[in-house]
Amino acid sequence: MGRYTLRRLLQFIPVLLGTLFLLHYLQSLSFQINGNPIRALFGDRQPPPETIAALTRAFGLDDPCLTQPGNPCFGLFFDRLGNYAQGDFGVDFNRQSVIDLIIRAAPLTLRLTFIAVVFESIIGIVAGVLAGIRKDKFIDNFVRFSTVLIIAVPVFVLGVLVQIGSGLYVGTWLAEQGAPEWLTATFSITYQSDHPWASLLVPGMVLGALSLGFIARLTRTSLIESMRADYVRSARAKGLSGTRVVGIHALRNSLIPVITYIGIDVGALMGGALVTEGIFNIPGVGGLVFQSIRSGETPVVIAVVTLLTMVFLLTTLLVDLLYAVLDPRIRYE
Amino acid sequence: MTTAVDEGGDSSKESSRSRRRRSDQADSLDFDPQAPLLEVRDLQVEFRTRDGVAHAINGASFLVREGETLGILGESGCGKSVTAQAIMGILDSPPAHIGGGEVLLRGVDLLKLDDKVRRSVRAERVAMVFQDALSALNPVFNIGWQLGELFRKHRGYSKSDARKEAVQLLDLVGIPDPENRVSDFPHQFSGGMRQRVMIAMALALDPDVLIADEPTTALDVTVQAQIMQLLADLQKERDMGLILITHDMGVVADVADKICIMYAGRIVERADVNSIYKNPAHPYTKALLESIPRVDMKGTELASISGLPPTLTKLPSGCSFNPRCAYVKDRCTHDEPPLYEVDGDRRSACHYYEEVLGR
Amino acid sequence: MSDQGTPGIREGNAAASTRESPAGHPSDDVDDRDDEAQERGKKERNASLWADAWRELYHNWLFVVSGLLVLIVLSWAAFPGLWTSNDPSDAGQCELLNNRAPPSSEHIFGTTVQGCDMYATVIYGARPSIIIAVVVTAVSVFIGMAFGVVAGYYGGWIDTVISRLTDVVLGLPFLLGAVVFLALLQDQNIWTVAIVLIALGWTQVTRIMRGNVIAAKGQDYVEAARALGASNFSIIMRHILPNSIAPVIVLATLYLGSFVSAEATLTFLGVGLQLPAISWGITIAEGQLLAVGGFPHLLIYPAGAVIVTVLSFILLGDALRDALDPRGR
């Protein structure tokens, strides 16, 4: 187990550095080719050169290597890494520290992700198990059909449709009926900060919908494969009850890929929930990215994406380690 | 306890057996001590597929007594494993369907029992050893847990008691350092060791009948010999009935008392081991024996049986072996031979068995 | 770690949008393996994988239906004039005064925010999405196959380099990466979107191809070919490629669906195609803002078009995969 962990760590570090460098290089390249983005901030106005210079310095964009297209700017890269290590992710155009913005936005995203993961896991796994044990019967066909449908609908389409359906139709109808506030908040069009959990329920389900489809399918396939395995026959030959054979022997094996998938998903979902937060106006981390794109604050976008990438890669590493815990065969590789 | 009366075996063995059976639902069954230990009568199993009905077993009958070893021999696909699974009751029931016949354990037809009782018979009275121990053992639970499960679920033992039993079992089958090995996982054992674990699992609840489905096929020759010896020793010690299923004529010659030869889901010859090898009474058996290469035949052409085994959905009319038979005559193509009595206990499903015997 | 999958559609990241687990667990082919065991018995003829697959496919109604739908959508992109005489990009065709009108006999899907016929907008909106999907799929698959074959076949340091490079690119969550690239490029049109999607999309094909090549390389028939003196190139072209290509074909169909979805998503977010281009993403974006005000048709029709398109590609890919699965043989 120790050797396995060490190997994974050794693989993780170069990939992390590589991805961060990729982001850095693209950013530098963009500045080298497109020029200083600070200028674009001011639109048609012509600010005095000193202002531009000062802002450029403040954003750390005054390195000479940025004038040479193609220069990988290693010095700048390592400076940036140093900053990241100290928690410095730069500032936005209003001089607010990006890391502060992220810290303020993170709790919402965490809540949203939590709801999404719980929703997709419970329903996905239950649906997958039911479909698997009643293969080719009605419930199986129903699950297969509905999951394909969910997977085929792009997240933003689903989000928009749900927003209209739940927010506009159900929400206003509820309000007209005089329903309690928390109920209308659940079905509102946008996020409402005085109902931090209720109004995130529906967006959370939208966020988790796609994964739900994948999880249900994966669970189903995995369970069916497990039930065909020889060890299931052995378990039956041991005179164990059907429930135990499926519920413990088969399921324990078939849940391994599902749990690892969910683990990766956590990292992926935290990695922005960009579209969902944008549609439902949730001021989380994804919403931050969304707004920064709108307002053209590219350095903020890059900084947030950098942090999210680090979180994502870290999650992948943790899931790899988790996998070894779940499957004893891997531990002794 | 019913079995105590007739066994003729060591009475101390019997009382220890009855002591261990604390929560045996099968106790409520009406076992007949005079009846043979395990008798299969005219078993019919078919598989209903989209392509038609595959007749996997067409009327198999045989008998095993305590202390006896019955070898079931045949090519891949002849129905040997299906027979074993039918006896155990672990056939996958939508495609498989038991069309008829009886499986009598001391006179009680297992096929007619309800699910719950049937389950308690499994592992307690009839147990099975599978071919590939690596895939037959659950990879995510350790050996101690898998062995202990039998005691926990069938006998109500506590976790620590079950574990102690597991250690004892490992010792019984010859696994060194059982105290530590009991917490290991299946993939941490070598092939031969794993097979010993499988045997331990089958013997855990002291069954009356042990079915070994190709127990040594996946192993090296030297390990094969060890495992077969282990099986023979354990059988003798416990006076079990052993059904050995294999396609290897060499392995079975040493160990079996009686042999059944299976072809296309039917038993085509049944005899004691010596008669089969010395003087087969069925063309298929004869051809099988002749196809074994011998050192003194060096330089001559290898004998093989022409043709292929039949597809179970489209069996030939008459005798299933007729397209490949060296003794085939007109009658064989439309008249399915019953199991003729050759002499004493010997049976052959061939119209012309006299000719095959060379009489 | 995670392989086969449909990139782009999911929030945040493609590497996790898998149909296979880290353990390389197989996907939804179990059911049809049951059916195929039957088929296998029936056909004793010496049929190649493709002939077998084709025979099976035209009996599969899902394949036929989704195939037809795909062809219809492709024809919207290639020959929109066949479906409507109304080209919304033509000035004169859109009456601003009649905008947001609900469906009527004259405009069966109603009119858009600019007053153009919604039906025509949906038809013409297919073109950029399909072009991007086709181009991106073709190029990503090509690059992915090239890298995958080289990495898998030659192994060694070149495999390490390619694999690490793949890992690095996969380290970026798909959607975030696309957004960042496009924001940095500052120029957003069909070609930049295509380039960005290609830059992120080649990785999955490489992974899969590499895996298949490594498996094929170990087969006895490759050893035999080498013993007979075949050159590396001919071994690759004659033995390795034909045997590893089936999963890539399936992935390509799934990719087509995902990239339609990805482009629509990016356009919706504002980093993809921009006005005055006509694209489903743009129409939906407009529709979203206003459907809230009670004009559901602005949303339903373009959204429906995207859903039907992506769904058809996915079903097509699923049917293909089940037909080409050699395990059913």
Side-chain angles (χ1 to χ4, degrees):
Chain A
M1 183 72 193
R3 248 196 353 226
Y4 176 79
T5 313
L6 194 61
R7 255 188 318 140
R8 282 289 172 267
L9 265 173
L10 287 178
Q11 279 180 3
F12 167 74
I13 293 176
V15 172
L16 176 65
L17 289 174
T19 313
L20 290 178
F21 181 73
L22 181 64
L23 278 172
H24 157 82
Y25 184 66
L26 287 169
Q27 191 180 7
S28 313
L29 203 57
S30 165
F31 293 171
Q32 288 154 358
I33 295 181
N34 291 318
N36 197 336
I38 309 276
R39 195 177 298 270
L41 252 196
F42 293 93
D44 290 326
R45 291 173 287 156
Q46 279 287 29
E50 309 86 56
T51 321
I52 297 194
L55 278 173
T56 309
R57 240 191 327 275
F59 284 97
L61 298 174
D62 54 346
D63 194 315
C65 83
L66 287 175
T67 53
Q68 307 151 11
N71 186 332
C73 295
F74 285 117
L76 191 55
F77 178 55
F78 288 116
D79 281 343
R80 283 233 175 88
L81 284 182
N83 288 341
Y84 292 155
Q86 290 167 15
D88 174 10
F89 282 82
V91 296
D92 77 352
F93 287 175
N94 289 324
R95 301 296 192 96
Q96 285 181 293
S97 147
V98 171
I99 195 79
D100 283 339
L101 291 170
I102 294 178
I103 291 178
R104 230 181 301 154
L108 270 97
T109 306
L110 285 171
R111 252 180 272 149
L112 186 67
T113 307
F114 178 77
I115 293 176
V117 170
V118 167
F119 172 68
E120 76 194 25
S121 307
I122 295 182
I123 301 200
I125 293 180
V126 168
V129 169
L130 284 176
I133 56 184
R134 304 231 178 288
K135 181 172 178 311
D136 290 332
K137 304 236 173 52
F138 174 73
I139 183 82
D140 182 22
N141 290 321
F142 174 73
V143 167
R144 290 172 70 190
F145 176 70
S146 44
T147 48
V148 166
L149 204 54
I150 292 177
I151 292 173
V153 177
V155 180
F156 76 98
V157 172
L158 184 66
V160 167
L161 290 173
V162 165
Q163 184 182 40
I164 307 289
S166 107
L168 191 59
Y169 293 113
V170 179
T172 45
W173 178 83
L174 278 176
E176 278 163 23
Q177 304 297 315
E181 230 192 273
W182 60 267
L183 197 56
T184 40
T186 312
F187 292 98
S188 75
I189 297 176
T190 66
Y191 169 70
Q192 293 176 15
S193 52
D194 37 345
H195 293 276
W197 286 93
S199 59
L200 281 182
L201 213 55
V202 170
M205 299 202 295
V206 168
L207 184 60
L210 182 69
S211 304
L212 191 159
F214 282 118
I215 288 175
R217 303 199 112 196
L218 187 58
T219 307
R220 176 187 174 275
T221 309
S222 196
L223 189 62
I224 289 177
E225 284 285 313
S226 295
M227 295 209 295
R228 286 188 190 194
D230 283 344
Y231 58 78
V232 165
R233 214 163 3 128
S234 299
R236 282 195 221 274
K238 280 158 89 171
L240 301 170
S241 72
T243 320
R244 190 176 170 88
V245 169
V246 172
I248 298 192
H249 283 259
L251 204 57
R252 176 74 173 72
N253 275 274
S254 53
L255 280 184
I256 294 179
V258 177
I259 293 191
T260 43
Y261 179 87
I262 295 178
I264 302 176
D265 205 39
V266 170
L269 291 181
M270 284 206 284
L274 182 52
V275 176
T276 312
E277 289 189 6
I279 293 175
F280 288 91
N281 265 324
I282 302 172
V285 179
L288 185 59
V289 177
F290 191 69
Q291 297 304 329
S292 308
I293 297 174
R294 284 267 166 87
S295 58
E297 294 186 61
T298 321
V300 178
V301 175
I302 310 259
V304 178
V305 170
T306 306
L307 181 65
L308 292 174
T309 307
M310 290 199 268
V311 168
F312 173 66
L313 281 171
L314 193 64
T315 327
T316 334
L317 175 68
L318 289 174
V319 170
D320 262 344
L321 297 180
L322 177 68
Y323 192 70
V325 169
L326 293 175
D327 187 345
R329 287 170 288 188
I330 302 292
R331 271 182 236 170
Y332 302 96
E333 251 180 26
Chain B
M1 273 301 294
T2 51
T3 51
V5 176
D6 74 308
E7 290 283 29
D10 196 351
S11 57
S12 64
K13 253 191 299 218
E14 295 329 304
S15 49
S16 79
R17 227 184 250 167
S18 43
R19 240 188 297 124
R20 296 168 85 175
R21 289 218 171 95
R22 278 185 297 146
S23 56
D24 190 0
Q25 262 196 307
D27 267 350
S28 62
L29 292 172
D30 210 5
F31 291 114
D32 175 7
Q34 305 298 338
L37 182 53
L38 183 72
E39 182 176 1
V40 173
R41 272 192 212 154
D42 201 30
L43 186 62
Q44 319 262 358
V45 178
E46 54 193 28
F47 281 80
R48 297 185 174 156
T49 69
R50 289 241 190 117
D51 219 11
V53 176
H55 301 281
I57 303 187
N58 306 297
S61 305
F62 53 85
L63 204 145
V64 186
R65 299 202 161 77
E66 56 279 352
E68 230 180 26
T69 302
L70 172 71
I72 300 187
L73 212 62
E75 290 171 278
S76 312
C78 71
K80 344 190 267 291
S81 291
V82 176
T83 310
Q85 288 173 25
I87 297 175
M88 287 293 291
I90 56 177
L91 283 172
D92 284 329
S93 225
H97 176 76
I98 299 192
E102 302 168 298
V103 174
L104 303 161
L105 181 67
R106 290 271 182 231
V108 175
D109 188 2
L110 297 179
L111 298 178
K112 300 226 176 12
L113 294 177
D114 90 33
D115 242 3
K116 220 163 158 212
V117 184
R118 189 77 200 278
R119 257 195 287 129
S120 71
V121 168
R122 261 176 239 158
E124 296 253 21
R125 305 274 173 152
V126 186
M128 191 155 158
V129 176
F130 291 89
Q131 173 179 346
D132 180 7
L134 183 55
S135 55
L137 291 168
N138 197 323
V140 298
F141 294 113
N142 69 39
I143 299 291
W145 188 95
Q146 296 189 51
L147 285 171
E149 190 179 21
L150 286 156
F151 295 100
R152 279 178 281 129
K153 291 297 151 194
H154 278 267
R155 301 276 169 84
Y157 281 30
S158 70
K159 270 202 202 145
S160 47
D161 282 342
R163 198 164 189 274
K164 281 196 208 113
E165 293 282 349
V167 173
Q168 277 183 24
L169 274 173
L170 289 181
D171 192 37
L172 178 70
V173 293
I175 300 211
D177 193 19
E179 276 289 338
N180 288 319
R181 292 295 257 165
V182 79
S183 351
D184 281 346
F185 291 88
H187 64 275
Q188 291 175 274
F189 289 80
S190 72
M193 289 290 153
R194 266 198 296 269
Q195 201 62 339
R196 290 173 191 261
V197 170
M198 279 244 73
I199 294 175
M201 213 155 80
L203 293 175
L205 302 178
D206 211 11
D208 300 322
V209 180
L210 183 65
I211 306 177
D213 188 357
E214 312 249 21
T216 55
T217 307
L219 303 171
D220 291 338
V221 178
T222 43
V223 182
Q224 262 184 29
Q226 289 170 2
I227 298 293
M228 291 311 305
Q229 187 61 49
L230 176 65
L231 274 176
D233 290 341
L234 290 167
Q235 184 215 14
K236 207 139 151 250
E237 239 179 82
R238 294 162 176 239
D239 213 28
M240 290 185 304
L242 176 64
I243 300 180
L244 182 62
I245 297 179
T246 178
H247 60 265
D248 186 336
M249 307 200 77
V251 156
V252 85
D254 258 344
V255 178
D257 300 312
K258 300 190 302 199
I259 294 194
C260 289
I261 309 270
M262 263 188 106
Y263 185 79
R266 292 192 70 202
I267 305 227
V268 295
E269 185 172 357
R270 208 167 75 200
D272 63 284
V273 62
N274 290 318
S275 313
I276 291 253
Y277 281 86
K278 277 223 191 79
N279 200 359
H282 191 282
Y284 179 57
T285 319
K286 193 148 188 220
L288 277 180
L289 287 168
E290 280 169 4
S291 67
I292 299 177
R294 285 165 36 186
V295 174
D296 59 344
M297 283 164 55
K298 199 159 97 162
T300 61
E301 218 176 273
L302 288 174
S304 65
I305 311 180
S306 64
L308 292 168
T311 31
L312 296 172
T313 43
K314 280 203 277 264
L315 289 172
S317 58
C319 170
S320 322
F321 188 58
N322 83 61
R324 310 166 75 188
C325 183
Y327 294 79
V328 65
K329 307 204 193 340
D330 187 53
R331 187 179 176 194
C332 305
T333 55
H334 50 83
D335 212 356
E336 190 178 10
L339 266 179
Y340 291 104
E341 185 176 322
V342 175
D343 46 27
D345 248 347
R346 227 178 145 182
R347 301 281 181 277
S348 170
C350 177
H351 298 302
Y352 302 101
Y353 66 83
E354 301 269 356
E355 199 184 320
V356 178
L357 280 171
R359 289 186 195 162
Chain C
M1 190 166 150
S2 36
D3 292 311
Q4 230 175 27
T6 47
I9 320 180
R10 57 165 297 112
E11 279 282 31
N13 155 67
S17 67
T18 63
R19 285 168 171 233
E20 281 202 6
S21 77
H25 210 84
S27 39
D28 306 310
D29 47 9
V30 274
D31 315 277
D32 300 87
R33 234 188 281 164
D34 283 340
D35 304 347
E36 276 144 32
Q38 276 51 270
E39 296 301 318
R40 187 188 0 159
K42 261 193 241 171
K43 274 112 193 179
E44 305 258 52
R45 289 168 261 167
N46 252 340
S48 72
L49 188 63
W50 304 99
D52 267 349
W54 176 244
R55 224 180 292 125
E56 206 181 291
L57 282 173
Y58 65 65
H59 289 309
N60 182 348
W61 70 270
L62 261 182
F63 173 76
V64 171
V65 169
S66 53
L68 274 176
L69 285 173
V70 165
L71 286 175
I72 291 179
V73 174
L74 288 176
S75 73
W76 288 353
F79 311 111
L82 280 181
W83 294 88
T84 171
S85 48
N86 205 333
D87 183 349
S89 53
D90 268 352
Q93 292 291 356
C94 300
E95 297 161 23
L96 202 51
L97 290 172
N98 193 21
N99 68 356
R100 296 182 268 155
S104 63
S105 52
E106 198 200 317
H107 296 282
I108 51 173
F109 283 176
T111 60
T112 66
V113 171
Q114 276 89 33
C116 310
D117 179 29
M118 175 63 85
Y119 173 72
T121 308
V122 167
I123 304 274
Y124 274 86
R127 177 174 282 185
S129 308
I130 299 289
I131 292 182
I132 288 183
V134 169
V135 168
V136 172
T137 303
V139 177
S140 314
V141 167
F142 181 73
I143 297 180
M145 275 177 53
F147 274 5
V149 166
V150 166
Y153 191 75
Y154 292 106
W157 64 267
I158 198 166
D159 181 12
T160 315
V161 166
I162 293 183
S163 294
R164 290 302 138 245
L165 188 59
T166 313
D167 285 340
V168 164
V169 176
L170 277 174
L172 278 178
F174 189 87
L175 204 57
L176 290 181
V179 159
V180 163
F181 282 27
L182 285 167
L184 286 174
L185 280 173
Q186 293 190 348
D187 192 16
Q188 287 138 4
N189 54 49
I190 280 195
W191 304 113
T192 52
V193 172
I195 290 177
V196 167
L197 290 177
I198 291 174
L200 291 170
W202 61 269
T203 48
Q204 296 202 343
V205 185
T206 306
R207 273 263 166 92
I208 292 180
M209 198 64 198
R210 176 179 172 277
N212 290 342
V213 167
I214 290 180
K217 196 171 63 157
Q219 299 285 344
D220 288 338
Y221 56 78
V222 171
E223 282 287 306
R226 226 178 261 150
L228 289 171
S231 71
N232 277 339
F233 181 73
S234 92
I235 291 182
I236 292 179
M237 296 302 293
R238 289 231 190 116
H239 297 282
I240 308 251
L241 268 186
N243 284 296
S244 352
I245 208 162
V248 176
I249 305 255
V250 173
L251 188 63
T253 18
L254 298 175
Y255 260 30
L256 284 171
S258 334
F259 285 129
V260 167
S261 180
E263 178 272 320
T265 309
L266 291 171
T267 303
F268 173 82
L269 285 173
V271 291
L273 303 174
Q274 309 287 336
L275 285 168
I278 302 175
S279 150
W280 288 331
I282 294 179
T283 317
I284 295 180
E286 293 174 342
Q288 180 217 7
L289 296 173
L290 289 157
V292 180
F295 299 98
H297 73 278
L298 288 177
L299 194 56
I300 307 254
Y301 296 109
V306 175
I307 295 177
V308 167
T309 308
V310 176
L311 187 62
S312 311
F313 278 117
I314 292 185
L315 289 174
L316 192 68
D318 266 1
L320 263 178
R321 188 206 17 234
D322 294 330
L324 287 174
D325 183 1
R327 276 177 284 177
R329 312 260 155 257

